[in-house]
Amino acid sequence: MPSKETGQLRIVDSRTENAYLIPIHDNFIRAKDLMAITTPDPKGSDIEQKLTVLDNGFENVACMESEITLIDGNRGQIQYRGHPIQELFQNNDYEDVLYLLMWGKLPTQAEKLDVRRKFAAAMVPTKTVVDTIAAFPRNSDTYPMCLAGLCAFMSGDKVIANNRHTHKPSFHNNFEQADAAIIRTIAYYATTLALIHCHKRKLTFTNPDPNGSLIGNLLLMMGKTNKETGVGPDPEIQACLEKLWICYADHEMTNSTAGLLHAGSTLADPGSCAISALVCGFGPLHGGAIDLAYEALGKIKHPSFVPAYIEMVKSKKARLFGYGHRIYRTRDPRLSLIEELIEKNREKCDANPLLRVAFAIDKLANEDEYFVSRKLKANADLLGCFLYSALGFETDMITAIITLSRIPGGLAHWRETLDKPIKIWRPRQIYTGDRTDDVDTSGRQSLSSNEGPLKEKHGIQVRELNSGRSNKIPLKVKAILWAKSCFS
């Protein structure tokens, strides 16, 4: 729904005393409207200087209009397409929410099964993909393996591979092709994770169930099967993740989603966009903070050492990764949902010594004035990691699996752009370095031996080549024939 003008911002430029009325749309202004505010060039030229907005770190700049996810950080609310996250958590599973984010409505059972089968069909890895993962030493870091596996899948996908070699947009306003590529991209990444997990632990990879859910097939391929029957995915783990992933399904314009959309603005394919999100997501100030938090928990070792660690954090001698969030000024609404899942798996959580340290930190942080006054709460991603540990996932796979739960949300935002005007993202900068004022901009260069003199045609300077040969076919005709052969 397009935004409506709800008021005007009156600005008086003290440099020129000029007044401007900038339209306000639903409590935002368009940065482009500020370009109307100009001042003469201080150097005395006739070039006017347009006003630019500087916002390091994008703390108060919106780059998109979206109908997907609403986050109210002041009230502690999250809604997916108008549905409160608490309602979806209680009444739906992850596949329902994925469909809602991607296609704008909750699916019928037939629609759900159709998407399941498409996921499963794309989850069977080729020999190239298997060999790519197998080429890594088993003790390799998970992150580069994720990138390599996804790239190996994409290299064999004709639609994705050919996207760079066509002058016509492959996906823009072509939702049938885009949707198919989105499903394949998600399936590729899920299969890559399973292959990595199996390779690192010398497990046998199991092909997906053609009718299994995305989460169910991830567990099946990873070898996390029903302990009693040995058939199908572990039902306890699946039931937990079907709810936990709802909390992670989308979080509006995160750093990784913005990175995904930045790549998408170049008309890149969804696989390449997902890789851009992965690169952001594994950074130590984003999803990678989870790995650092786990490393810190391992160093603390026992709950009795937590008070001393907290004092080190307060004196800035240590850092508490996984706490605090730029958006929320009150409690993240996802925390209570994750706590509900933790309570359902309390016995498994309590049995993990690392989690006892984490819960001790959380208890102290919720009581200490230093953290309370700064509203520093456990990040929902960190809290959810406790569940992964309790369910038997090793720490080297947790961030990668969380990323899988988030990629569909990011690609839903990419899909939302496909019927919008094409506009490549190209932010501005404020130059603060040295500069030379008197620069020769004539662009004159000496002629080389094969260059003729400059001639003027229709007011444009043109250089003619002295080839010494006459062309039998006029150059204009050659150009037309060439264009037809390349672009028809």
Side-chain angles (χ1 to χ4, degrees), residues 231-466:
V231 178
D234 186 307
E236 291 185 10
I237 299 178
Q238 181 172 355
C240 183
L241 295 188
E242 290 286 0
K243 297 297 183 181
L244 179 61
W245 282 23
I246 291 175
C247 300
Y248 296 151
D250 188 55
H251 209 230
E252 194 227 62
M253 195 53 57
T254 65
N255 179 282
S256 49
T257 299
L260 185 154
L261 291 175
H262 204 117
S265 75
T266 70
L267 299 182
D269 63 88
S272 299
C273 294
I275 286 176
S276 299
L278 287 173
V279 171
C280 297
F282 275 87
L285 292 183
H286 199 11
I290 302 304
D291 294 327
L292 294 174
Y294 265 97
E295 290 173 12
L297 295 176
K299 291 177 181 178
I300 297 171
K301 295 182 180 179
H302 194 275
S304 61
F305 298 131
V306 166
Y309 179 74
I310 290 295
E311 290 303 316
M312 290 175 64
V313 172
K314 290 160 64 174
S315 61
K316 302 191 185 314
K317 295 178 181 177
R319 185 166 180 176
L320 191 59
F321 283 94
Y323 273 73
H325 201 285
R326 180 186 288 186
I327 298 297
Y328 295 105
R329 294 296 173 264
T330 185
R331 197 167 194 263
D332 185 334
R334 298 173 298 172
L335 291 176
S336 60
L337 303 178
I338 296 173
E339 287 170 349
E340 185 178 322
L341 293 174
I342 289 175
E343 197 57 41
K344 288 182 179 178
N345 295 272
R346 173 58 62 182
E347 187 176 338
K348 292 180 180 178
C349 289
D350 288 344
N352 189 319
L354 208 61
L355 300 189
R356 290 201 296 271
V357 174
F359 291 139
I361 291 175
D362 199 48
K363 184 176 186 299
L364 199 55
N366 284 330
E367 297 171 351
D368 192 290
E369 177 59 25
Y370 177 90
F371 295 96
V372 173
S373 63
R374 291 167 173 76
K375 298 181 179 178
L376 296 175
K377 300 285 186 180
N379 189 295
D381 287 341
L382 176 63
L383 197 65
C385 287
F386 303 163
L387 276 166
Y388 281 103
S389 293
L391 295 171
F393 290 94
E394 294 86 349
T395 56
D396 66 304
M397 293 298 300
I398 291 176
T399 302
I401 296 172
I402 288 176
T403 305
L404 174 58
S405 67
R406 293 289 281 270
I407 282 179
L411 290 176
H413 286 273
W414 175 76
R415 187 183 188 276
E416 191 179 36
T417 69
L418 296 184
D419 61 356
K420 306 293 190 298
I422 297 172
K423 184 182 290 290
I424 189 171
W425 287 19
R426 204 289 188 186
R428 302 285 297 276
Q429 70 158 22
I430 304 298
Y431 178 72
T432 59
D434 297 332
R435 65 184 301 162
T436 302
D437 292 332
D438 299 323
V439 180
D440 180 7
T441 59
S442 64
R444 295 191 185 96
Q445 296 178 347
S446 61
L447 298 178
S448 62
S449 59
N450 67 336
E451 291 177 333
L454 283 170
K455 295 184 178 181
E456 190 163 301
K457 296 180 180 180
H458 306 294
I460 301 173
Q461 288 186 324
V462 179
R463 192 183 307 281
E464 295 181 347
L465 297 180
N466 297 322

Side-chain angles (χ1 to χ4, degrees), residues 99 105 107-118:
Y99 199 99
K105 70 182 188 71
T108 64
Q109 189 61 25
E111 289 168 333
K112 195 170 177 177
L113 288 173
D114 180 59
V115 173
R116 273 188 180 187
R117 289 165 182 156
K118 289 174 179 176

Side-chain angles (χ1 to χ4, degrees), residues 29-49:
I29 63 172
R30 298 188 185 279
K32 196 170 183 178
D33 289 341
L34 296 179
M35 294 172 67
I37 303 175
T38 60
T39 187
D41 184 359
K43 307 286 183 197
S45 73
D46 58 355
I47 301 174
E48 289 190 323
Q49 305 292 310

Side-chain angles (χ1 to χ4, degrees), residues 125-137 145 148-149 152 195 199:
T126 62
K127 185 178 184 299
T128 299
V129 177
V130 174
D131 290 346
T132 297
I133 299 301
F136 282 84
M145 296 177 75
L195 286 168
H199 175 61

Side-chain angles (χ1 to χ4, degrees), residues 170-183:
S170 299
F171 306 105
H172 201 80
N173 282 318
N174 187 350
F175 285 98
E176 182 178 356
Q177 184 151 282
D179 287 343
I182 285 171
I183 287 172

